[in-house]
Amino acid sequence: MAYDVTRRDFLKAGGVAGFAAGVAGLGIGSILGTPETALAETVTVTDFVYTCPVCGRKTTDYDALVKHFEEEHPDASSGVPQCVELMINGNVVKVQAEPHWTLRETLLKAVGLTGNAKEMCDRGGCGSCTVLIDGVPALSCSTLVVECPGKQIETSEGIAADERWRPLVEAYAKHDAMQCGYCTPGQFTVAKYIIEKYGQPTEEQIRAELAGNICRCGTYKRHVEAIQEAASAIEGGN
């Protein structure tokens, strides 16, 4: 039996369901559920386990780790393990990170977030790792974590968990702006920046701001449509 269903019809029909089910591992998952549930998942590590780089001893007390290191490994060439305090999605997180780690590496390896933190080009060329630092888009793969203490870091997980930005999540699903999903977290964080900057952005403004975010599926028009619809809903308080 032949079915007269085009690929476009199939994707359109499955777009919302596919988005809700498929983005769970892309950093804006669980976003069509309750905001309270999503908010609890914006930072997945609360009691970070610190590890001695010499003997592998683990503890949840950073000061205890430093004391152990100084007493047990006074001649170690690696130096005292560094602890970095970050403000991520409104949560203060203390993590053990190497001085050469980027913010992307730290979000993935130490904090456990997987949206903007997944490795893509890792050269600052695709925009998928874009986060907001003090409200401004920044490439997490090109930002050293030691530059970030004292700054407000927002990721796709935190934005999606905020009830105010639910219209943006729903607009992305409605317009099927995500296909393969690799670029979505970066596009999503920049979308928030665009709406906050312009209120009701024009197509030209959106395209200019998203110029650094590459979409391999070529759904640029759908990103524009989703952002404009979300902007209207957010402006109107819906």
Side-chain angles (χ1 to χ4, degrees), residues 30-71:
S30 303
I31 48 182
L32 298 183
T34 61
E36 292 78 12
T37 300
L39 183 60
E41 298 171 353
T42 57
V43 172
T44 58
V45 174
T46 52
D47 294 322
F48 186 76
V49 177
Y50 303 98
T51 305
C52 175
V54 178
C55 67
R57 178 177 175 177
K58 298 181 184 298
T59 177
T60 57
D61 186 335
Y62 175 70
D63 292 333
L65 174 65
V66 173
K67 181 179 180 181
H68 158 79
F69 188 87
E70 293 175 341
E71 292 179 351

Side-chain angles (χ1 to χ4, degrees), residues 14-187:
V16 173
F19 185 91
V23 299
L26 296 173
I28 51 176
S30 303
I31 48 182
L32 298 183
T34 61
E36 292 78 12
T37 300
L39 183 60
E41 298 171 353
T42 57
V43 172
T44 58
V45 174
T46 52
D47 294 322
F48 186 76
V49 177
Y50 303 98
T51 305
C52 175
V54 178
C55 67
R57 178 177 175 177
K58 298 181 184 298
T59 177
T60 57
D61 186 335
Y62 175 70
D63 292 333
L65 174 65
V66 173
K67 181 179 180 181
H68 158 79
F69 188 87
E70 293 175 341
E71 292 179 351
E72 301 296 329
H73 312 292
D75 299 324
S77 60
S78 59
V80 177
Q82 297 299 305
C83 178
V84 181
E85 184 172 288
L86 303 173
M87 177 66 76
I88 303 174
N89 298 327
N91 298 275
V92 176
V93 184
K94 291 184 178 181
V95 298
Q96 182 180 345
E98 297 294 333
H100 63 274
W101 278 9
T102 63
L103 177 58
R104 184 200 68 76
E105 289 178 287
T106 305
L107 290 173
L108 181 64
K109 297 177 181 179
V111 184
L113 297 180
T114 58
N116 311 101
K118 64 182 181 294
E119 183 175 356
M120 293 297 290
C121 75
D122 214 31
R123 291 174 174 80
C126 71
S128 66
C129 71
T130 304
V131 297
L132 299 182
I133 298 180
D134 288 340
V136 179
L139 298 170
S140 64
C141 77
S142 302
T143 304
L144 290 175
V145 69
V146 294
E147 301 177 73
C148 297
K151 299 179 180 180
Q152 297 282 345
I153 301 167
E154 292 179 83
T155 70
S156 55
E157 292 93 342
I159 297 169
D162 188 336
E163 175 68 12
R164 179 170 182 256
W165 295 98
R166 187 181 181 89
L168 182 59
V169 175
E170 294 175 342
Y172 259 68
K174 175 182 175 181
H175 290 277
D176 203 14
M178 165 193 157
Q179 287 194 16
C180 74
Y182 285 105
C183 74
T184 307
Q187 302 268 14

